[in-house]
Amino acid sequence: MLYQSFKYYFVRLGVSFFLLLTGGFAVLFFIHEIALSGLVFDDRPIKWGVILVSLFFGCLVFGMFGEHRFFKALDGLKLIDLQLPMQQVVPRFESLLRFTESSYFLPRHGRRLKEKVIRQYAQYLLSIGAEDRYALNIYLKAFLQDSTETAYRDMIVSVLTQKRDLEPAEIDLLLLILTTEKFADQEILDFLVSIFLNQQIFTNKSEPVLLQALEKNSPQSAEIIEFLLPILVGKERKDPYSAHFYLNALDRARPEHRKEIEDLIAACYCEGRFRVVDPVLHGRCEAVFNRLAPDRQTQLMTAANDRKVSEKWKQVRLLRSEDVRRVQRRNRESGVEPALGSRLWAGMGRLWTAFREATRAMVFKLFDGLNWLGGLPLKYKLSALGVVMVGIVAGTLSLQKAMVAPPKGPPPETNNPVAMPMPPGAQKGAVKMHTIQIAAVNRKANAEEIVERLRRHKVQGVYVVETKRKTNGYWYKVRIGKFGSLDEAQKSAQKLVEQNIINNYFLVSVGGGK
């Protein structure tokens, strides 16, 4: 379980990291180098979006992809030609069982899916009449899921009742079958009684079986009485099981044991042990008590009253502090004391379940569409790919054009041209100057577009600097003015921003002679 949980989280994080390294960097490269190559902007929201999308597909969608594969494979096993050789079908079931233990599922969810496979697997094995050891194990797993499946139950019982030496787990399985059917199967009952008597087994598991056999007048009733009576009488037990046993054994026991049995039954009546919990059993004990002689009745009643008086001084504290807290917690869980936190948690759970189911439905539809697309001829696939590529290119060009296009409406303050001062230091070749850079593009035409837009707004001092890129090509950097101090450059740039002429900029220090 721990190993599968580790796989579940480790693989999901690995897939998310892989998507981040591949798709994430591809998206950033596309935005910076192709779609918006001429703009300088803060890309942190895009990076966070890429991270969230990678986690969404790596964690949630990855698990849904596993469920989609599982249910597709399970649907393929619903209608199997029973004439196919068993060697061709069994590996498919085995592979699907192993798949439920993969990193796609948490242990609890994997067990639920595994139960679906086991039920279908057991039906297939039953339909071909398989009775080997492995098939019986599958029948057992299917029976433990649903104990009302009599077909699996019969296969298991027929094998176990043919064995002489049963293991403790096999005895527990027969006990489960017997108690599920409320001790109705007389053959299983007698078989277990013979095992318990032969091995002298007296436990909390064997006691109800022996009692039921005695009540049903089993052929082994005398042996049951001989085995159980000394044990129960020696311990002076007065619990419901023992009282039922005494009542059933009273008329069958030896005469020397009857007085002890009658005294125990009458004591149960005098103490009123079953008056509330089992009135029928109390009435049967009363009938035995009434058959006794008056002096014995008086003696037994006096002894019972003395026991009650001697125990009155004892103050029995049933519930301790930890028991009280547990009772309160159980009351909250059962709804007797509903807690606000539990209601909120349940509501959040329902919202999460609804979101997950809706997402899974959409993802399943997407996977079904991809499967349908995969089955199309090659020419249709190429046509669809061409349409997608044309759409991407068209969207990129329109986005790029929209980002570099001038704002709509008349340019602000067209009658007041924005003059970028050229201080004397710039004319004389000052040592260090400062300029405003608003863009760096890899196409000269884009740079000329930006320069033309700025000149339409009467911005003076606009020029383009061409620098060689580390890779092939050149950068065309659009700059405005030259200033003797950073403060002057900052004020001029801020004025252009306030007039909505530029959106982003940064200050660059350059040589005075440039």
Side-chain angles (χ1 to χ4, degrees):
M1 181 179 296
L2 180 63
Y3 175 65
Q4 189 170 349
S5 299
F6 175 77
K7 288 193 302 181
Y8 178 87
Y9 293 108
F10 182 78
V11 171
R12 274 166 166 70
L13 291 177
V15 172
S16 301
F17 187 66
F18 174 79
L19 292 174
L20 185 62
L21 290 179
T22 56
F25 280 107
V27 168
L28 292 176
F29 177 82
F30 176 80
I31 292 175
H32 284 292
E33 300 295 333
I34 299 176
L36 305 176
S37 59
L39 295 179
V40 178
F41 58 93
D42 186 3
D43 62 351
R44 281 179 295 180
I46 298 176
K47 291 178 179 178
W48 278 110
V50 168
I51 292 173
L52 293 177
V53 170
S54 299
L55 289 173
F56 175 76
F57 280 93
C59 295
L60 192 62
V61 177
F62 177 78
M64 293 177 181
F65 175 70
E67 288 190 23
H68 186 264
R69 287 182 57 192
F70 172 82
F71 286 113
K72 282 291 182 182
L74 189 63
D75 288 339
L77 292 172
K78 286 184 178 179
L79 298 176
I80 299 177
D81 188 359
L82 300 181
Q83 297 180 358
L84 288 175
M86 186 176 176
Q87 294 77 8
Q88 296 183 12
V89 180
V90 168
R92 296 170 62 185
F93 279 106
E94 293 297 323
S95 176
L96 198 53
L97 287 175
R98 289 192 298 270
F99 186 72
T100 60
E101 301 173 357
S102 65
S103 60
Y104 286 110
F105 315 108
L106 279 173
R108 183 180 299 178
H109 188 45
R111 283 196 299 269
R112 289 196 295 267
L113 298 179
K114 191 173 186 178
E115 290 174 357
K116 294 179 180 292
V117 182
I118 287 174
R119 287 195 294 269
Q120 198 162 318
Y121 195 4
Q123 292 174 3
Y124 166 73
L125 293 175
L126 195 64
S127 62
I128 63 174
E131 295 183 357
D132 55 75
R133 182 177 180 180
Y134 189 77
L136 290 173
N137 182 260
I138 298 298
Y139 295 148
L140 173 61
K141 287 180 170 59
F143 173 76
L144 293 177
Q145 293 180 29
D146 185 4
S147 57
T148 61
E149 288 288 348
T150 57
Y152 306 141
R153 174 250 192 213
D154 294 340
M155 295 290 291
I156 296 169
V157 171
S158 65
V159 173
L160 292 181
T161 52
Q162 295 176 22
K163 297 180 64 175
R164 293 186 177 181
D165 298 325
L166 294 180
E167 299 176 359
E170 294 173 336
I171 294 176
D172 290 343
L173 176 58
L174 286 177
L175 282 171
L176 173 64
I177 296 173
L178 188 63
T179 53
T180 302
E181 300 174 354
K182 298 181 179 180
F183 301 92
D185 195 315
Q186 188 67 38
E187 294 182 359
I188 300 180
L189 183 64
D190 293 338
F191 179 74
L192 287 174
V193 167
S194 63
I195 292 177
F196 294 149
L197 292 178
N198 291 334
Q199 300 181 11
Q200 296 290 291
I201 298 176
F202 179 66
T203 63
N204 58 337
K205 295 179 181 179
S206 64
E207 183 178 11
V209 175
L210 297 173
L211 176 60
Q212 287 292 328
L214 187 63
E215 289 186 349
K216 293 179 179 295
N217 295 318
S218 170
Q220 305 173 86
S221 296
E223 299 178 24
I224 295 173
I225 294 173
E226 290 293 330
F227 174 56
L228 283 185
L229 189 59
I231 299 174
L232 300 181
V233 173
K235 295 180 179 294
E236 296 185 355
R237 283 181 49 176
K238 299 174 186 176
D239 54 273
Y241 274 117
S242 302
H244 279 290
F245 173 78
Y246 298 147
L247 291 168
N248 285 285
L250 180 60
D251 296 333
R252 310 178 194 181
R254 296 177 182 178
E256 59 269 21
H257 295 312
R258 288 181 183 175
K259 183 179 182 303
E260 295 177 336
I261 298 175
E262 289 174 344
D263 289 346
L264 289 170
I265 295 174
C268 291
Y269 166 72
C270 295
E271 295 173 8
R273 288 178 173 266
F274 316 120
R275 184 174 59 251
V276 176
V277 296
D278 193 344
V280 176
L281 180 59
H282 181 73
R284 293 180 65 186
C285 293
E286 181 182 9
V288 174
F289 176 80
N290 292 333
R291 287 182 352 210
L292 301 179
D295 56 340
R296 284 187 66 192
Q297 293 180 357
T298 303
Q299 182 182 0
L300 290 171
M301 188 65 72
T302 302
N305 291 331
D306 291 341
R307 283 194 295 273
K308 290 181 180 179
V309 172
S310 64
E311 293 180 357
K312 279 185 179 180
W313 64 273
K314 295 182 181 179
Q315 295 181 358
V316 180
R317 186 178 180 182
L318 179 62
L319 297 177
R320 299 181 181 179
S321 57
E322 63 270 18
D323 300 323
V324 172
R325 290 193 296 270
R326 183 171 296 177
V327 170
Q328 293 173 349
R329 185 169 62 251
R330 293 297 298 272
N331 284 338
R332 288 193 296 269
E333 293 173 355
S334 61
V336 178
E337 297 178 7
L340 178 61
S342 61
R343 293 199 299 268
L344 292 176
W345 184 257
M348 292 175 61
R350 287 192 294 269
L351 288 175
W352 167 251
T353 301
F355 169 74
R356 189 178 185 279
E357 290 300 323
T359 306
R360 185 171 68 170
M362 291 188 293
V363 172
F364 277 25
K365 290 293 184 183
L366 174 62
F367 290 149
D368 288 337
L370 293 177
N371 289 335
W372 172 80
L373 184 62
L376 293 176
L378 180 59
K379 60 179 181 179
Y380 294 115
K381 295 179 184 177
L382 294 176
S383 302
L385 180 61
V387 171
V388 171
M389 295 301 296
V390 169
I392 292 176
V393 172
T396 301
L397 294 177
S398 60
L399 180 62
Q400 190 178 38
K401 186 175 180 180
M403 295 299 293
V404 301
K408 295 181 180 180
E413 301 184 13
T414 54
N415 296 325
N416 299 318
V418 180
M420 295 294 107
M422 299 291 288
Q427 305 294 334
K428 299 177 182 180
V431 176
K432 192 172 185 180
M433 303 298 294
H434 307 280
T435 185
I436 305 169
Q437 181 168 312
I438 64 168
V441 295
N442 55 9
R443 295 176 59 191
K444 189 174 182 180
N446 292 343
E448 292 175 350
E449 266 188 53
I450 298 174
V451 170
E452 181 63 27
R453 178 169 62 84
L454 292 172
R455 287 174 178 170
R456 287 200 301 269
H457 286 78
K458 307 300 182 182
V459 177
Q460 299 178 1
V462 182
Y463 64 98
V464 177
V465 175
E466 179 181 323
T467 59
K468 189 172 181 60
R469 300 174 63 183
K470 292 182 179 180
T471 57
N472 295 332
Y474 293 88
W475 284 115
Y476 299 94
K477 302 175 182 179
V478 181
R479 296 176 177 177
I480 303 175
K482 293 181 180 179
F483 306 88
S485 67
L486 281 174
D487 187 51
E488 292 179 15
Q490 179 71 35
K491 289 180 180 179
S492 299
Q494 191 61 36
K495 185 177 180 181
L496 294 173
V497 172
E498 292 173 355
Q499 294 176 355
N500 293 325
I501 296 176
I502 64 175
N503 296 323
N504 300 285
Y505 69 91
F506 62 92
L507 304 180
V508 180
S509 299
V510 297
K514 179 71 179 171

